[in-house]
Amino acid sequence: MRSRLVSAWLDWALSALPVVVMAVLAAWSYWLVRATPGVSEPASARVVSKLPDWTLAQFHVDSYDSSGRLTSRVEGARGWHHPSDDSMEVEDAQVWSQRDRDGQGRISLAQGRHLWVNGEQTQYRLSGDAQIQRLPARAGDPELSMQGQELFVDDALKQISSAQAVELKQGDRVLRGDRMFYDDNTEVLELKGKVSAWRPGASEATKP
């Protein structure tokens, strides 16, 4: 399936979550290093544990621009870091961000019961009632959202996928599929399994 409308929406989703999470986790990591200084020792002498080396509870981490304006926030019931592979995880994650585009402050929201980020901060998995939204910048603009039980973003490959049912909305337009794969390099969206598309007041079109 190729659609300029869908492609533009997915381009936004592909860029929003990585940019926000990378910025906030960088600030998070910097704060932790400052707050928990350790004894310096040679890398060869360190033993890498499979257990988390730090944990935060009921936290939020904010990022600001050079003018002091809040640009993003990550909240979670619990967050932890795995030194073995440098990955991070957050329970009950909520991400808020505001980015200027075309003179408009565009607000994006992402949430899920669990957020996983790989050590290179190039792969992101939201799971458990996962949702990514872009709120309207102006009156009359449609709200955009993507939701499902799992959303996987590979920023290095420029791909978004889900092995579970996913729903895409733009205003009153709705697309659903049992599985989804989007490749930003080719701008092709694949919805597999039972696929349906509709808008209120119109009959639902379903592809088995």
Side-chain angles (χ1 to χ4, degrees), residues 126-146:
L126 271 173
S127 56
D129 297 324
Q131 185 174 42
I132 304 174
Q133 296 173 274
R134 191 188 78 184
L135 302 184
R138 297 169 296 190
D141 285 352
E143 179 179 316
L144 306 177
S145 69
M146 173 189 294

Side-chain angles (χ1 to χ4, degrees), residues 53-191:
D53 56 354
W54 51 256
T55 302
L56 296 177
Q58 300 299 331
F59 69 92
H60 74 261
V61 181
D62 296 339
S63 291
Y64 299 85
D65 62 17
S66 57
S67 68
R69 187 190 64 161
L70 179 67
T71 57
S72 59
R73 167 176 287 191
V74 169
E75 298 182 32
R78 193 167 71 98
W80 61 97
H81 173 261
H82 296 282
S84 57
D85 60 5
D86 206 29
S87 64
M88 301 181 191
E89 299 183 65
V90 179
E91 285 182 351
D92 296 330
Q94 297 188 53
V95 181
W96 176 95
S97 74
Q98 179 169 271
R99 301 172 63 196
D100 288 330
R101 184 173 181 180
D102 302 327
Q104 300 292 327
R106 297 192 179 275
I107 296 176
S108 300
L109 307 172
Q111 64 182 25
R113 290 200 296 270
H114 188 266
L115 169 65
W116 170 87
V117 185
N118 72 340
E120 292 74 25
Q121 296 181 17
T122 57
Q123 296 180 338
Y124 311 84
R125 180 182 290 108
L126 271 173
S127 56
D129 297 324
Q131 185 174 42
I132 304 174
Q133 296 173 274
R134 191 188 78 184
L135 302 184
R138 297 169 296 190
D141 285 352
E143 179 179 316
L144 306 177
S145 69
M146 173 189 294
Q147 60 187 39
Q149 286 305 306
E150 180 181 88
L151 299 172
F152 181 77
V153 177
D154 191 318
D155 190 43
L157 297 178
K158 301 300 180 186
Q159 296 173 345
I160 306 176
S161 61
S162 178
Q164 302 186 46
V166 66
E167 181 176 274
L168 310 177
K169 290 183 179 180
Q170 183 182 46
D172 60 356
R173 301 180 183 183
V174 182
L175 281 172
R176 276 185 183 166
D178 289 339
R179 298 178 301 281
M180 181 198 74
F181 178 80
Y182 174 70
D183 190 332
D184 192 49
N185 302 290
T186 59
E187 296 186 348
V188 172
L189 168 68
E190 295 181 37
L191 290 173

